[in-house]
């Protein structure tokens, strides 16, 4: 990726997504200079787990892997199951992984990475979701963000800002990451 090009990330939203995670990730990445495309899964107005509705920029069926640097999935059980069961989302995750592009998920959403066959050995997720995933040896609850190859995972709502910052660090660079971290008062990340 040339430094002068803006990184582009897709955040798919399905009904029942975790709002704190989605909004925090979208906000932090945009503050970091990343172009973020919010893609609705089956609907343009997507309602999250806590009744907050977000208007998608596009439909997931129009998202093209070659135009992206990353796809990152917010959690929320209902949203995660919808992402895990949606053939378009699953195909996009597989294609991104095959092209060695970055794939990310937070909270329950690493489950949708597992169903796509792209969850690496080392990961983190919301406590108890690792039981649904099944790879207990590779799971850790000691880190806010785990990076294994081209896959990034994070724990849940409380780690969403740190996850967004880790994505900025990976796609934009250390200087922007440090500046943004200071501006957000996120010295815990």
């Amino acid at each position: 990726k040339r430094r002068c090009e803006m990184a582009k990330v897709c955040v798919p939203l399905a009904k029942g997504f975790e709002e704190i995670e989605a909004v925090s990730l979208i906000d932090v990445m945009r503050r970091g200079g990343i172009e973020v495309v919010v893609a609705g899964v089956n609907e343009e107005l997507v309602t999250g787990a806590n009744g907050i509705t977000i208007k998608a920029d596009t439909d997931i069926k129009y998202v093209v892997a070659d135009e992206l640097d990353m796809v990152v999935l917010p959690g929320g059980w209902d949203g995660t199951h919808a992402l895990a069961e949606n053939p378009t989302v699953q195909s996009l995750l597989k294609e991104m992984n095959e092209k060695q592009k970055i794939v990310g998920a937070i909270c329950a959403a690493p489950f949708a990475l597992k169903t796509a066959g792209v969850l690496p050995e080392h990961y983190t997720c919301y406590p108890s979701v690792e039981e649904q995933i099944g790879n207990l040896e590779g799971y850790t609850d000691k880190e806010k963000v785990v990076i294994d190859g081209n896959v990034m995972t994070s724990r849940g709502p409380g780690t969403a800002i740190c996850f967004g910052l880790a994505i900025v660090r990976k796609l934009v660079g250390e200087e922007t990451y440090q500046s943004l971290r200071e501006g957000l008062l996120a010295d815990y990340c």
Side-chain angles (χ1 to χ4, degrees), residues 9-31:
V9 175
C10 174
V11 179
L13 294 186
K15 185 176 181 177
F17 70 92
E18 172 50 64
E19 295 98 332
I20 288 174
E21 295 161 359
V23 173
S24 295
L25 290 170
I26 294 163
D27 182 284
V28 171
M29 289 188 290
R30 285 184 176 167
R31 286 175 192 240

Side-chain angles (χ1 to χ4, degrees), residues 43-62:
E43 52 201 336
E44 181 183 21
L45 295 174
V46 190
T47 302
N50 297 294
I52 299 169
T53 300
I54 293 184
K55 183 178 184 290
D57 300 319
T58 190
D59 189 286
I60 192 68
K61 66 186 172 198
Y62 301 121

Side-chain angles (χ1 to χ4, degrees), residues 39-108:
V41 177
N42 303 323
E43 52 201 336
E44 181 183 21
L45 295 174
V46 190
T47 302
N50 297 294
I52 299 169
T53 300
I54 293 184
K55 183 178 184 290
D57 300 319
T58 190
D59 189 286
I60 192 68
K61 66 186 172 198
Y62 301 121
V63 174
V64 179
D66 286 338
E67 297 174 0
L68 300 174
D69 297 289
M70 180 177 190
V71 172
V72 60
L73 311 178
W77 257 126
D78 289 346
T80 291
H81 282 295
L83 297 173
E85 294 164 7
N86 183 283
T88 306
V89 172
Q90 291 289 295
S91 174
L92 179 63
L93 292 170
K94 289 173 185 166
E95 187 179 354
M96 292 291 288
N97 193 56
E98 285 163 10
K99 295 179 181 216
Q100 288 297 300
K101 294 186 174 211
I102 304 166
V103 175
I106 184 170
C107 192

